[in-house]
Amino acid sequence: MFSWSKYPFLKMLIPLALGIWFGTFFGFSTFSPVFTIGIAIALFLMAGWAVFLLKSIRFHWLFGGIMACYLFMAGLSLTQVHEASEKHDYFRKYESYARHYIARVYDYPTERASSIKTVLELEYQFGDSLPSRPVTGKVMAYFQKTDSAFTLRYGDLIAIDAPVDEVSPPKNPGEFDYRAHLMRKGITGQCWLKDSDWIDLQTNRANPLFSFSYRFRDHLLLSLQRCGVKDKEFGVAAAILLGYDDSLADDVRKTYVAAGSMHILCVSGLHVGIIYLLASFLLGFLNRNKWQKVLKNSLLLLLIWFYAFIAGLSPSILRATLMISFVIIGEMIHRKGFALNSIAASAFILLCVNPNNLFEIGFQLSYVAVIGIVVLQQPIYHLFYFKNKLLDKAWEITAVALAAQAATMPFTLFYYHQFTTYFWLSNLFITPISFFVVMGGMLLLLVSWVPYLNVGLGYLVWGVLYIMNQLVSWVESLPFSIVKGLYVSQLEFALLLVAFLLLLLCVTLQRKRMFITMLAVLLLFMGSVTWRHYVSDAYEGMTFFSLRRHTAVDFIKSGEHVLLADSTLMADESTIDYSLTGSWTMKNLSHSPQVVGLEEDYEGPFMRKRSHLVSFDGKLLALWNDDWALSDSLSYRLPVDYLLVLNRQKPDIQSIVNSFKVNLLLIDGSVPNYLAEKWAMQAKELGIPYLNIGDGAAEF
């Protein structure tokens, strides 16, 4: 029987999370921060009044209700306090007359393909003839790759003479919302800095703790390389041991994702637990008396928090570290807690520190996975019994993977639109191998200064990592290792979450009615999916994608589609994955459409293309490019529904008017902004309706 009294933090977490969600999605202007905090304080005082004045047990619900309202308002207040744009010294409020900044390098600079990327914290803002004023705000900065950019370190102060741009919202259907992702981290702008746009002020104001953490992590990474851990295995080792994934190759990352083993590369409960067990074993001699045990537990607390610190303090490692901290503190005070309450307590603390954690995908996946393991692993494990110890252990590991997958499946479908088929197979051998990797890697870091022993152990760790990578690659190569294109709408995501919650209650409370209700919710989910597929199959239309330096037009009819695109786009897999596949997934379309080049002729069942004219669904589309010469061969103006202007062309609306009767002029995303503005200006002067695709995709 489920008893709320055993899980006080779970009761506190729910209204706090609801308050944060409400404050985020219903705006910050609804209430002023002072008003919200005042209401929260009043509710807290009312709760105290309920405790001291209402002695009867019949009124205990009143205290709980008031506290729930208080926590809801507290969550709402937290979102307002952490919202950068609500602060009185937010830099956007003064940039109209002061566009120069003094900024501090806020994050560890990382090298990208064409830039040095880091986060800058703005500290001062000034104009050409105006005094400086303190400001707040974080921006994502991309530095041109130069010798001076490579010298940047965390905490360095620099002067910036460049505009801070707004981060653009998604321009295509189903595209990843990078702006929302940055805003959840408190980053509200971005800038591109050439070598002449900034000056190093030769001053460092780093947080000493974080500065030490970065330096110590760099030392450990260098130690791994010196001991023989190299190539792709070094990137995996750095991610597993220290949470540093900048050296992780893209193909390795994709392989682990396809095999359902990406969680191994994220420092989490498994890694912290191994560190705890190893350290507890090494400190086993401190078990002789009460004070030695207190000293041992204190050292364990310091050690796991130090490890969490150098591993990046990600939500997954913070969750695990807090939970193990509760276990250690419980041993020190001789109190045994409940795992679910410890999970809720760690989430409560992290949300109080930063309410935006609630919307981080890593935070959500980390917590639902561990909740699934805690609640569902044992029921799944007891479904089958094996006398053979090896088979029993294999089934136990598989039960853990199944429980975690059942919990995280709604989130992976909603956020990533994919499902890894062989997650159970990869985890069967990845889990024990990763145990040896973490143990061996930590021992290697401890003895990295010992000659010969460090190199021998380094090659041993490298060999184990090599075997693990090969096994993961084998799983990824199996047929249908990853199923993509599994779109789930917001309503369907909510239904899946309700079904998962009912499953947890069914297992915890042992009530059959919960199971029947869960099946009813899943039936609603299937009905929604079926209806959406029916609507998608009946859809007919064109999608003009908004892409920089590329052209892409999708012609869709009855579940089939043909993509008109330039040749360079089809060789750019990253742009296709980022900007196009989201739309295809939403419309239940194939990710491998028939592709027609801009210069090709094509005749299909529902779309035809001849030279620069495209016919689709009774509509006529003309492509306007530099080599267009139709006006020389026709003695009349050709009526077209749409005319698409491409690439870097000198704006010449008059030539278009001489050749066409245009219902709508479309300015493609491949047209540079300064030329697009000129095209728009000329079209407006001649009274021609126009639409700039560079501002966002268009569907007709």
Side-chain angles (χ1 to χ4, degrees), residues 298-314:
S298 300
L299 291 174
L300 287 174
L301 279 174
L302 289 173
L303 182 62
I304 63 171
W305 277 104
F306 177 73
Y307 175 67
F309 197 69
I310 63 173
L313 295 176
S314 66

Side-chain angles (χ1 to χ4, degrees), residues 674-693:
Y674 73 97
L675 289 177
E677 292 176 0
K678 294 180 179 179
W679 277 105
M681 186 180 300
Q682 290 190 14
K684 190 174 182 179
E685 290 175 354
L686 293 178
I688 299 176
Y690 69 93
L691 183 64
N692 187 358
I693 303 298

